[in-house]
Amino acid sequence: MLSATVAYGQTDPTVMTINGQPVSRSEFEYSYNKNNAEGVIDKKSVDEYVDLFINYKLKVQAALDARLDTLSSFKQEFLSYRDQQIRPSVITDADVEAEARKIYRDTQQRVDDNGGLWRCAHILVSMKQRATKGEEQAAKVLADSIYTALLHGADFAALAKKYSGDTNSARKGGELPLLQKGQTVKEFEAVMLTMKPGEISRPVLSPFGYHIIKMIGHENFMPYDSVRADILQFIEMRGLREQIIDQRLDTLALQAGKGVTREQVLDRRLAEMEAKDSDLRNLVREYHDGLLMIEMSNRTVWDKAAKDEAGLEAYFRKHRKQYKWDEPRFKGIAYHVKRQEDVAAVKNCVKSVPFAKWGDELRKAFNSDSVIRVRVEKGIFRKGDNALVDHEVFGIDTVAKPMKDYPFEAVFGKKIKAPEAMEDVRGLVVSDYQEELEKSWVASLRKKYQFTVDKQVLATVNKH
């Protein structure tokens, strides 16, 4: 009889080995299928994808060698993702249902011990808290009139909809949510507790105005099934599900003994789930490796290139001819000022200053206090980028919309046929420099680490 390990090896053979670490066919298939799914523009064949996958795994290996997986920032982010995948599985719907019933029982006992629930309606003749004597008298007259009408058979719900200042209950004919002791103002509650079903109170004065109360009935706490959905929603909204999970983890850790922690319980849970679910195993591995690859790439290529000013300048000088424009561009500013004399003052402020510092100089000279005297747009402008530049520099027959409170406008700078400095095309240079560093890095990784591909197994990808 074959052992489980041998049997698994036959059903999921090793497709490649990278730095001595085997990569299963299922892991490669998962990555290939995900990155070449329906809708992906630049689809690759299996053979084309092999090199991309190897490069990815080599970067991960470099990150492991650099011990990036020991960084607290990495651990925190990865464990957060692991928890998202694993924590929900620690409990079942039955556990949540049990918590819902516990909340119900506790609430039921508290309400019933406190006298139960009162179902009533009211008509509120609203009154400002600092009402004048005249306003208070007018409110009382209206409340008395409504009460008199009710005594003569007027419909309570109709009058509530017409006169009540409590708009929420007015829409329901004055009916309030079920009330328990302590939920209403003392003046309202004192009368409510003395009323019998069907009774209508005289106007009751509270800080909100005059209430006319109609008692509908007194009852015990409602049945569980009638509030179950609300309790389950309450559990989700208050984050109580996470508390249930924590309680369950504490129980499991205690049962495991020997000082086992929640984290260790979750690690074991993950291992058990991965053994049964290859998709989960590959998903978690992908996230783990992806975090490492991104951090290593950022350190070696992306962030390094963006901050390496000397390297960017050298790259630009070496490849200057490849940065060409089809048409001349305007390197300068389009600006709007409050006063006519500032048109010339802006030009004088920056004419002897390097272009990169124009913005700082203008802010110091014109916008250093609370009054903004100059509105400026600085950059390398193409035709169509700015209406004022189009009109003043490129001679296009456009009319720029005047800027409110800044009636005087002008441009300053020069038209150039090609980039003069690295800063003129910084974004392109950074991108190209990153690409060069990436190629150099991958080449060095391919020399440093050994890797082999089993062509026979590769041929069976998505064909078994």
Side-chain angles (χ1 to χ4, degrees):
M1 173 181 274
L2 291 174
S3 69
T5 302
V6 173
Y8 184 77
Q10 290 182 340
T11 58
D12 193 17
T14 297
V15 70
M16 62 182 70
T17 302
I18 297 176
N19 194 43
Q21 297 299 314
V23 176
S24 66
R25 181 176 61 190
S26 65
E27 180 186 351
F28 178 80
E29 282 180 338
Y30 173 86
S31 180
Y32 173 77
N33 293 333
K34 184 172 183 178
N35 289 284
N36 292 274
E38 193 69 31
V40 174
I41 297 175
D42 187 21
K43 285 189 175 183
K44 305 290 184 183
S45 68
V46 171
D47 288 337
E48 290 171 331
Y49 190 70
V50 167
D51 278 344
L52 295 175
F53 185 80
I54 289 173
N55 292 345
Y56 166 74
K57 296 296 276 188
L58 291 175
K59 293 173 186 177
V60 173
Q61 186 60 54
L64 290 171
D65 285 354
R67 297 181 58 78
L68 298 189
D69 58 328
T70 65
L71 296 176
S72 59
S73 57
F74 168 81
K75 290 180 178 179
Q76 183 176 354
E77 188 166 356
F78 175 68
L79 290 178
S80 175
Y81 179 78
R82 179 208 63 182
D83 288 354
Q84 291 176 23
Q85 305 302 316
I86 307 305
R87 278 177 62 89
S89 72
V90 173
I91 61 172
T92 64
D93 291 342
D95 294 319
V96 178
E97 183 73 21
E99 181 66 17
R101 288 188 176 276
K102 179 179 181 299
I103 292 172
Y104 172 80
R105 288 193 300 271
D106 292 345
T107 307
Q108 180 189 39
Q109 183 174 356
R110 184 178 67 253
V111 170
D112 289 347
D113 288 349
N114 202 29
L117 298 168
W118 283 263
R119 188 182 296 279
C120 56
H122 79 149
I123 298 171
L124 172 64
V125 179
S126 299
M127 191 171 64
K128 292 185 293 186
Q129 290 191 0
R130 295 184 179 180
T132 64
K133 288 290 185 180
E135 290 171 335
E136 183 174 344
Q137 182 60 32
K140 187 176 188 312
V141 169
L142 177 56
D144 287 340
S145 298
I146 295 171
Y147 178 67
T148 300
L150 291 169
L151 292 180
H152 287 83
D155 183 69
F156 190 97
L159 292 179
K161 290 177 181 178
K162 184 174 182 179
Y163 292 107
S164 183
D166 179 0
T167 54
N168 287 332
S169 67
R171 288 193 291 267
K172 303 173 184 177
E175 187 167 342
L176 293 162
L178 283 166
L179 298 174
Q180 56 180 297
K181 287 181 182 179
Q183 280 193 316
T184 66
V185 291
K186 62 182 181 180
E187 297 85 355
F188 186 105
E189 182 175 287
V191 174
M192 177 188 77
L193 296 180
T194 66
M195 296 178 67
K196 297 177 181 179
E199 285 186 339
I200 295 176
S201 75
R202 290 180 175 277
V204 178
L205 179 61
S206 85
F208 297 101
Y210 285 94
H211 307 262
I212 301 170
I213 308 169
K214 178 182 178 181
M215 177 56 64
I216 299 172
H218 179 228
E219 54 193 75
N220 291 326
F221 198 64
M222 61 284 289
Y224 174 72
D225 287 344
S226 67
V227 292
R228 177 178 178 273
D230 292 332
I231 297 175
L232 292 175
Q233 184 179 26
F234 173 81
I235 287 173
E236 298 301 332
M237 291 179 64
R238 293 298 181 90
L240 298 184
R241 179 182 287 269
E242 292 304 311
Q243 293 182 23
I244 301 170
I245 292 173
D246 285 340
Q247 292 167 5
R248 179 62 178 159
L249 285 172
D250 288 339
T251 300
L252 292 173
L254 189 62
Q255 291 173 349
K258 298 180 182 179
V260 173
T261 65
R262 286 186 193 175
E263 294 303 315
Q264 290 171 321
V265 171
L266 285 169
D267 283 339
R268 294 175 184 178
R269 182 78 174 180
L270 175 60
E272 292 169 0
M273 293 176 66
E274 286 183 335
K276 298 175 182 177
D277 185 348
S278 62
D279 284 343
L280 175 64
R281 180 173 64 252
N282 288 321
L283 182 67
V284 173
R285 180 192 290 114
E286 177 187 47
Y287 193 83
H288 176 276
D289 291 356
L291 284 178
L292 291 174
M293 188 275 292
I294 290 171
E295 179 60 27
M296 195 66 189
S297 296
N298 190 50
R299 295 180 177 210
T300 311
V301 176
W302 305 332
D303 195 47
K304 179 180 177 181
K307 295 179 179 179
D308 183 6
E309 295 299 321
L312 290 169
E313 289 288 354
Y315 186 88
F316 174 72
R317 289 194 299 270
K318 183 178 179 180
H319 303 87
R320 187 168 189 156
K321 291 183 179 179
Q322 76 185 44
Y323 298 105
K324 298 178 180 180
W325 295 327
D326 295 334
E327 293 181 307
R329 300 189 183 186
F330 177 66
K331 182 178 181 178
I333 55 173
Y335 61 99
H336 309 262
V337 296
K338 290 179 175 290
R339 304 181 305 190
Q340 176 71 56
E341 57 266 32
D342 279 343
V343 171
V346 167
K347 296 178 182 179
N348 291 331
C349 176
V350 299
K351 66 181 181 181
S352 301
V353 177
F355 183 67
K357 297 182 179 180
W358 282 17
D360 291 337
E361 291 298 317
L362 290 171
R363 274 189 293 274
K364 286 189 292 185
F366 296 96
N367 298 338
S368 59
D369 55 22
S370 59
V371 178
I372 298 177
R373 291 166 53 191
V374 180
R375 296 284 188 183
V376 181
E377 185 177 353
K378 171 178 172 286
I380 311 291
F381 299 90
R382 298 170 297 181
K383 288 180 181 179
D385 284 349
N386 183 283
L388 183 58
V389 171
D390 284 347
H391 184 270
E392 298 294 327
V393 178
F394 296 120
I396 300 174
D397 189 16
T398 60
V399 178
K401 185 178 180 180
M403 184 174 289
K404 184 181 179 182
D405 299 329
Y406 296 85
F408 305 102
E409 56 189 18
V411 299
F412 182 68
K414 60 182 177 179
K415 192 187 294 185
I416 56 178
K417 294 182 179 180
E420 296 180 320
M422 185 273 292
E423 281 296 330
D424 296 345
V425 282
R426 184 182 185 89
L428 290 174
V429 175
V430 169
S431 178
D432 292 342
Y433 186 41
Q434 286 174 338
E435 186 176 345
E436 183 175 87
L437 290 179
E438 169 87 8
K439 290 178 180 177
S440 176
W441 181 37
V442 169
S444 68
L445 293 177
R446 283 178 165 260
K447 290 180 180 178
K448 181 178 181 179
Y449 299 113
Q450 291 186 344
F451 55 89
T452 59
V453 178
D454 189 321
K455 296 292 186 181
Q456 290 185 330
V457 176
L458 186 65
T460 67
V461 168
N462 288 334
K463 297 178 181 177
H464 55 92

